[in-house]
Amino acid sequence: MIPYYTRFFAIAFVLLILQILVFDHIDLFNFSNPAIYLIILITYRLDLDQFGFIAIGFFIGLFLDLLTQSPGAHSLAGVSIAFLRPAISRFALGANFNQSNALSGSTLWSNRMLYLFLMIVIHQFIFSMIIYFNMTHLWMIAKQTLANTLFSFVLITATLTLFQRKT
Amino acid sequence: MQWVLNAIIRYKNFLLFLFLFNLGLIISGKQSDYHSSKIAKTSLAISGFIHQPFEQLNSYFNLVDENKRLAKENNTLKSLVLERFNQAEVLSLEEQNIAGPQYYSLPAKIIRNSFTQSRNILLIDKGSSNSIAKEMGVIGPKGIIGIVNQTSENYASVLSILYRDLKINAKFKKSNVFGSLFWLGENPNEMQLADIASINSVEVGDTLVTGGMSSYFPEGIPIGTVKSFDLPENGAYYDINVALFNNMTDLEYVYVIGNKNRREIIELLEREP
């Protein structure tokens, strides 16, 4: 049995490399890229300590920022979503929000989809806000948030479904 | 003490989030000039918003002293106007137009003064919406104060002359000998003048004014007087201590100096090979 954190960091590393080498170059409609690496933050066990999770969120973002020359947007969005996750999971998953199996069979499919959607949309909103860093570009921020969210949501749902069936 | 530790443990997640978020903002500023400038502008706006009410309250209690000072300044200005009026009678119309009003001034109020750091920055209550722009000179009732560093809509930050890396072109009023004025970071009423060659005569009490070699300040704005000087053995240049006219620890109203030809001057300098 592989320890949880070994498996977690191995998957995280693979997803981050895929994000940098493949998904950051899709440029759908010339401005939209899916954030597939969000799977790392979405699937991190909900019953584990949040303190470590906030640090993980930040350092995953920092890793991406350094390799993509982004102006801190991944770090800031990562740390924010890690901090907000308990509130999002409580809202979306209800009573099961801090159970280790909350994202597998014990929760309604609609609740899991709501959790997934909220995690992605909030992350993408913060990310786009920091990229543009100017409220006069609100329309562009909204457009990019929406496009990235939908694109990421479809890909992340498909990936999670695929791997759940296999295991 | 126990309750502080309890609070830290209780809010550790939030504190970690705040710490890492700030770290992210610092990285953001380092990675991109655009973000750095935006962060500086936002912090300037917040800082101005926080300091203004306190400064307003403080200035209310200083009204009597301030009125006396303004009356004195008015008097000085009036005498200058009269002096100019007398000159205008002598000069022909063409001669008056040659000089032209290259510089203009905009009044502002200091809402945060700083003089205890080695790099001091002041905050004034006028910003880009009042036509204040980066790199405009700032003078007080008695002499130069600093240079505008950053502007937001309603506020501007000013690099005080008490800023260690700032060098200002200055000259002797009596002889037009130029030098560089800078601050060592010790006494807020004293600055140092360098690059004055030993062949020139220097005396205690000599007046220093701006040299007009930069586009920040017009020529002839008062700076201070020579307090003491020293000529190192075999040295080619004087070490001069200058006592400032302005009391940098007690500033309230200032004037921001605009140069109408500044853009033209900068463009010309940039074109030089």
Side-chain angles (χ1 to χ4, degrees):
Chain A
M1 181 81 181
I2 307 165
Y4 176 74
Y5 277 109
T6 313
R7 198 165 60 100
F8 172 80
F9 283 114
I11 294 171
F13 183 73
V14 172
L15 284 172
L16 288 171
I17 296 297
L18 277 176
Q19 180 71 43
I20 294 162
L21 298 180
V22 182
F23 294 101
D24 272 354
H25 300 279
I26 291 181
D27 292 332
L28 188 73
F29 312 124
N30 284 330
F31 67 88
S32 177
N33 287 315
I36 195 82
Y37 75 96
L38 272 181
I39 290 177
I40 309 164
L41 302 177
I42 288 168
T43 57
Y44 185 84
R45 265 171 49 185
L46 288 158
D47 58 328
L48 293 176
D49 185 29
Q50 201 204 356
F51 191 79
F53 182 56
I54 292 172
I56 287 172
F58 177 77
F59 285 109
I60 282 173
L62 186 64
F63 183 80
L64 279 174
D65 280 331
L66 295 177
L67 293 181
T68 58
Q69 302 298 308
S70 137
H74 289 293
S75 319
L76 289 168
V79 75
S80 304
I81 202 69
F83 178 70
L84 293 172
R85 194 176 78 147
I88 297 168
S89 62
R90 197 174 292 131
F91 174 77
L93 302 172
N96 288 336
F97 79 94
N98 57 357
Q99 301 297 309
S100 63
N101 59 351
L103 296 175
S104 51
S106 67
T107 320
L108 281 175
W109 180 83
S110 57
N111 287 33
R112 273 182 280 155
M113 288 300 112
L114 178 63
Y115 166 76
L116 213 67
F117 180 77
L118 286 176
M119 285 288 283
I120 299 168
V121 76
I122 293 171
H123 177 276
Q124 286 303 318
F125 178 66
I126 298 167
F127 178 79
S128 304
M129 284 270 284
I130 293 156
I131 289 288
Y132 286 97
F133 222 64
N134 192 336
M135 290 313 279
T136 52
H137 294 131
L138 203 61
W139 169 236
M140 266 314 289
I141 292 170
K143 208 164 79 168
Q144 194 174 37
T145 303
L146 190 71
N148 283 353
T149 300
L150 292 177
F151 199 8
S152 304
F153 183 76
V154 171
L155 270 177
I156 289 173
T157 313
T159 311
L160 289 178
T161 313
L162 195 72
F163 282 93
Q164 262 175 6
R165 273 179 192 167
K166 279 193 172 179
T167 51
Chain B
M1 196 62 199
Q2 185 64 36
W3 70 269
V4 177
L5 285 173
N6 285 341
I8 291 173
I9 291 165
R10 191 173 171 195
Y11 296 109
K12 66 180 194 301
N13 291 344
F14 182 63
L15 293 174
L16 178 70
F17 166 69
L18 274 188
F19 171 73
L20 292 177
F21 196 87
N22 280 312
L23 193 64
L25 283 178
I26 293 167
I27 293 166
S28 186
K30 296 259 181 231
Q31 294 266 79
S32 143
D33 287 341
Y34 170 73
H35 285 76
S36 167
S37 146
K38 275 281 175 189
I39 291 167
K41 280 192 176 185
T42 311
S43 60
L44 180 62
I46 294 169
S47 178
F49 182 75
I50 292 168
H51 283 95
Q52 197 165 33
F54 290 103
E55 183 48 40
Q56 276 171 350
L57 190 71
N58 194 28
S59 69
Y60 179 76
F61 291 114
N62 291 334
L63 276 179
V64 177
D65 287 341
E66 200 51 42
N67 274 342
K68 280 183 194 165
R69 199 152 73 172
L70 285 174
K72 216 170 167 183
E73 196 187 336
N74 260 343
N75 196 32
T76 316
L77 290 172
K78 212 162 213 172
S79 56
L80 279 173
V81 170
L82 283 172
E83 207 176 294
R84 265 196 104 89
F85 179 74
N86 291 336
Q87 279 176 2
E89 284 181 337
V90 180
L91 296 171
S92 68
L93 262 179
E94 285 84 0
E95 280 170 325
Q96 284 181 48
N97 285 337
I98 289 167
Q102 183 189 344
Y103 291 94
Y104 57 94
S105 74
L106 303 157
K109 188 167 181 291
I110 290 189
I111 55 170
R112 194 190 72 191
N113 190 5
S114 158
F115 48 85
T116 54
Q117 318 285 319
S118 63
R119 291 175 177 81
N120 293 292
I121 290 182
L122 320 174
L123 217 61
I124 57 172
D125 70 340
K126 297 283 187 308
S128 52
S129 60
N130 309 99
S131 308
I132 306 285
K134 225 174 157 176
E135 301 193 342
M136 285 169 99
V138 179
I139 62 168
K142 292 179 185 169
I144 58 168
I145 302 288
I147 294 161
V148 174
N149 175 46
Q150 186 73 259
T151 57
S152 64
E153 203 182 335
N154 299 311
Y155 303 99
S157 65
V158 176
L159 291 186
S160 164
I161 51 171
L162 308 181
Y163 194 93
R164 280 193 68 163
D165 310 317
L166 193 68
K167 285 197 171 177
I168 290 156
N169 177 255
K171 68 171 186 178
F172 282 90
K173 197 177 177 183
K174 65 171 186 184
S175 62
N176 285 336
V177 175
F178 289 94
S180 290
L181 191 75
F182 62 96
W183 190 52
L184 282 178
E186 291 158 8
N187 185 346
N189 298 317
E190 247 178 60
M191 289 182 81
Q192 273 61 44
L193 184 68
D195 305 335
I196 301 292
S198 58
I199 51 162
N200 299 296
S201 101
V202 175
E203 280 171 41
V204 172
D206 281 352
T207 304
L208 289 158
V209 294
T210 50
M213 290 283 184
S214 68
S215 53
Y216 304 129
F217 298 105
E219 187 186 346
I221 303 279
I223 295 173
T225 54
V226 174
K227 190 182 177 190
S228 61
F229 65 91
D230 182 32
L231 185 63
E233 215 173 301
N234 302 325
Y237 298 96
Y238 286 105
D239 291 334
I240 302 173
N241 284 329
V242 178
L244 296 174
F245 284 135
N246 264 327
N247 178 2
M248 296 296 288
T249 64
D250 180 27
L251 297 171
E252 196 158 2
Y253 291 95
V254 292
Y255 303 94
V256 183
I257 306 290
N259 182 348
K260 285 180 184 166
N261 301 337
R262 184 170 158 68
R263 185 168 288 181
E264 198 179 325
I265 293 168
I266 290 170
E267 277 173 12
L268 196 63
L269 286 172
E270 280 171 358
R271 248 184 276 157
E272 277 184 4

